[in-house]
Amino acid sequence: MAEGKVWVRKNREKPLRQGHPWLFSGAIARAEAAQDGELVAVYDSRDRFLARGYWNSKSQIPVRILSWRDDAIDSAWWRAMLKQAIARRVLPAGDTACRLVNAENDYLPGLIVDRYGDWLVLQALTRAIDARKEQIAAALLALTGIPNIYERSDVEVRQREGLGESAGVLRGDEPPATIEIKQAGMRYLVDIRHGHKTGFYLDQRDNRRLLRELAAGCGTGARLLNLFSYTGGFAIAAGCQHAVNVDSAYSALQLAEANTALNKIPTASAEFIQADVFDYLRHCVGVGERFDMVVLDPPKFAAHRRQIQRAARGYKDLNLNAFRLVKAGGWLMTFSCSGAISRDLFQKIVFGALVDARRRAQVIRQLGAASDHPVALTFPEGEYLKGLLLRVD
Ligand code: SAH
C-alpha cells in the first residue's frame, strides 16, 4: 500500500525532533493519502523529512513514530527492532519470565510482548500493530525459538483506536490453565488467558525481591499485610508464615493460595481474604491490628488528568490507614501505577497521609518498574509505576 504523508504545524515540531514518539492531532497541519494502520512519512512545515510512523485517523494520536531516519519499514526492519529489544533484556539466572518488548519505551509503539516460560504473550494496542501481528508473531518465533504465542489484546485502550478486543492463539498450542514461571528463585502459576495484563505483574519483580530482603531482616514471626495481593506475588517473595493477602478477585486469591503451597510456605497461618481493601483497612484499624510489613499496590486510579483529584483522595485514604497498621520500626511499601500521578505528587499524597496518621517515616528507597520495563527518556509517559519504601516509626 502506498505511503501517506503528514505535515506537522510550524512550532509544533520540537517534541518530535527531540525523539518523542507521539504526534497529536492538534500538531498536524494536514495529511495526504494517509490510511488507518498504514505507514506515513512526516514532514516539517518546510517540507523536510522528519520521521516515519504509522497512522490512525480514529486516534487522538494519529501518528506514532517508528523511525527518525528515512529508512524502509519492512519486515527486515521489524525483525531487527524486535531483535534489539530482546537483546536488551538481561534475564537474571534461573528466571523464566520477563517483558521482552515494552512498546514506546523499546521504540515499538503499541506493542507489548511478555515471556512466560515456553509462551509468549502479545498485546497489540494500536491498529497498525494489530494489522501486523501475524508478521510480528512470525518474527518472534524465529528470534526466540519459543513455539507458543498467545494474544491478549483484550484491553480498553483499543477502543480509542476504533478496535474491539482480541484474544487467542497466534502460534502453537492452546495454553494450559496455568503456566509455572520462576522469578528470583520463586515459583508462580500464571493464567495467561484470564489473568490481569498479560497474566502477571512482571513490573514488580525487583520490588518483590527487595521485600524478600526486608522480610529476612524481620525474623521468622514477621507479619505481612499484602494489600491488592492479586496472585500473592509480594507474599510469596516475603516468604512470611503470617501473610494476609487481600484482593477483591476470588480467582486471584485462589492462585495466591496455590502459589503459597507451590513455594512450600506453610499455609496454616496464611490468609486469603476476598474484600474491598478500603473497607478491610478500616476494619484492621478498628480492631487494632499491627504488621511488620505492609504492601500497598492498588490498581490504576487515574487513567486521565481529570481523575487526578479523585485518585489522590483514594491514595490518601489507603496510605493513611496503612500507616496506622505498621508497627514502630516496620515497613510500608506503597505504590501508584497511575500514569497521570507524578512521582512528586504521589510523594506529597503519602506525606499528607503520614501527617494525618501522626507517624514519622523515612524514605529508604524510591521504587519503580523492573529493569525489563525500561522507560525511554524521550517518553516520560512511560513511567507509570512509582513507589516508596518507607521505614515507619
Ligand atoms: N500486588 C499485585 C498486583 C496488584 S494489581 C502483585 O504483586 O501481583 C491490583 C489488584 O487489586 C488486582 O488483583 C485487583 O483484583 C485488585 N483490586 C482492585 N480494586 C480492589 C479493591 N477495591 N479492593 C481489593 N482489591 C482490589
Side-chain angles (χ1 to χ4, degrees):
M1 206 171 291
E3 182 175 87
K5 287 184 172 185
V6 170
W7 284 267
V8 183
R9 278 186 207 284
K10 208 176 162 189
N11 305 325
R12 297 293 296 267
E13 297 155 0
K14 194 173 169 191
L16 195 145
R17 276 194 201 283
Q18 291 182 332
H20 196 282
W22 289 353
L23 196 53
F24 288 94
S25 47
I28 295 171
R30 69 191 170 95
E32 213 176 84
Q35 312 240 13
D36 287 352
E38 295 303 326
L39 295 175
V40 286
V42 181
Y43 299 92
D44 69 9
S45 54
R46 293 165 64 188
D47 241 1
R48 289 176 302 200
F49 176 88
L50 284 173
R52 184 166 273 114
Y54 58 70
W55 174 261
N56 185 357
S57 62
K58 308 235 172 13
S59 171
Q60 298 273 324
I61 310 167
V63 182
R64 291 182 199 231
I65 303 302
L66 294 167
S67 173
W68 282 260
R69 293 199 317 217
D70 195 1
D71 44 26
I73 311 284
D74 51 14
S75 56
W77 183 90
W78 286 97
R79 197 182 150 118
M81 290 299 288
L82 290 166
K83 188 175 177 184
Q84 265 180 37
I86 294 165
R88 281 185 210 115
R89 268 64 195 177
V90 183
L91 203 59
D95 277 23
T96 62
C98 81
R99 173 150 298 187
L100 293 179
V101 181
N102 197 28
E104 272 78 349
N105 302 292
D106 277 305
Y107 320 112
L108 287 167
L111 177 65
I112 302 277
V113 183
D114 289 340
R115 180 187 162 192
Y116 297 99
D118 287 338
W119 262 267
L120 296 180
V121 183
L122 180 151
Q123 213 164 51
L125 304 175
T126 59
R127 183 167 289 277
I129 296 296
D130 194 74
R132 287 165 183 77
K133 62 193 176 195
E134 284 299 327
Q135 177 194 339
I136 290 168
L140 286 170
L141 180 64
L143 289 167
T144 64
I146 296 173
N148 307 299
I149 307 180
Y150 195 76
E151 184 186 5
R152 279 295 304 275
S153 305
D154 47 344
V155 282
E156 238 182 78
V157 287
R158 279 170 56 109
Q159 286 175 13
R160 295 188 220 162
E161 294 273 313
L163 292 169
E165 297 186 353
S166 173
V169 173
L170 280 178
R171 285 283 186 288
D173 297 333
E174 187 69 39
T178 56
I179 292 169
E180 186 182 323
I181 60 159
K182 289 197 183 65
Q183 271 201 325
M186 281 128 355
R187 299 161 73 188
Y188 298 104
L189 297 172
V190 179
D191 177 354
I192 65 170
R193 284 179 307 170
H194 309 106
H196 296 175
K197 301 229 244 185
T198 61
F200 195 62
Y201 290 85
L202 291 169
D203 51 358
Q204 290 287 21
R205 179 190 72 193
D206 296 354
N207 300 322
R208 292 192 190 109
R209 194 173 6 201
L210 178 60
L211 188 74
R212 190 178 186 80
E213 288 169 24
L214 300 176
C218 285
T220 46
R223 302 187 74 225
L224 165 70
L225 178 60
N226 187 21
L227 300 164
F228 304 98
S229 67
Y230 189 51
T231 56
F234 279 101
I236 305 303
C240 302
Q241 292 188 18
H242 306 277
V244 180
N245 295 279
V246 187
D247 203 283
S248 54
Y250 181 68
S251 54
L253 290 167
Q254 275 185 311
L255 267 187
E257 191 159 6
N259 283 331
T260 306
L262 184 69
N263 287 276
K264 307 209 166 37
I265 301 166
T267 45
S269 50
E271 292 181 54
F272 306 92
I273 295 170
Q274 187 178 13
D276 177 272
V277 166
F278 289 87
D279 298 340
Y280 188 77
L281 275 172
R282 270 185 272 281
H283 157 78
C284 287
V285 170
V287 298
E289 286 259 28
R290 286 287 182 277
F291 295 89
D292 301 273
M293 295 182 291
V294 176
V295 175
L296 190 50
D297 184 22
K300 183 159 67 182
F301 286 163
H304 308 283
R305 280 171 180 280
R306 57 182 184 277
Q307 295 168 338
I308 288 179
Q309 289 262 318
R310 231 193 85 170
R313 281 197 295 275
Y315 289 122
K316 167 97 185 274
D317 187 45
L318 290 173
N319 282 279
L320 168 61
N321 286 327
F323 274 128
R324 289 175 168 154
L325 297 178
V326 183
K327 278 185 195 162
W331 300 99
L332 173 63
M333 217 182 232
T334 180
F335 296 97
S336 160
C337 62
S338 301
I341 305 260
S342 68
R343 195 172 274 283
D344 190 43
L345 175 58
F346 181 60
Q347 188 158 329
K348 286 193 174 113
I349 296 165
V350 176
F351 163 73
L354 178 83
V355 171
D356 287 5
R358 297 169 199 271
R359 301 292 295 265
R360 290 205 304 180
Q362 298 166 310
V363 178
I364 303 302
R365 231 183 259 186
Q366 296 276 350
L367 307 172
S371 58
D372 54 344
H373 291 58
V375 179
L377 200 50
T378 45
F379 185 62
E381 293 85 346
E383 194 194 11
Y384 64 97
L385 184 67
K386 50 271 303 184
L388 293 166
L389 170 62
L390 301 170
R391 185 162 41 212
V392 185
D393 291 308

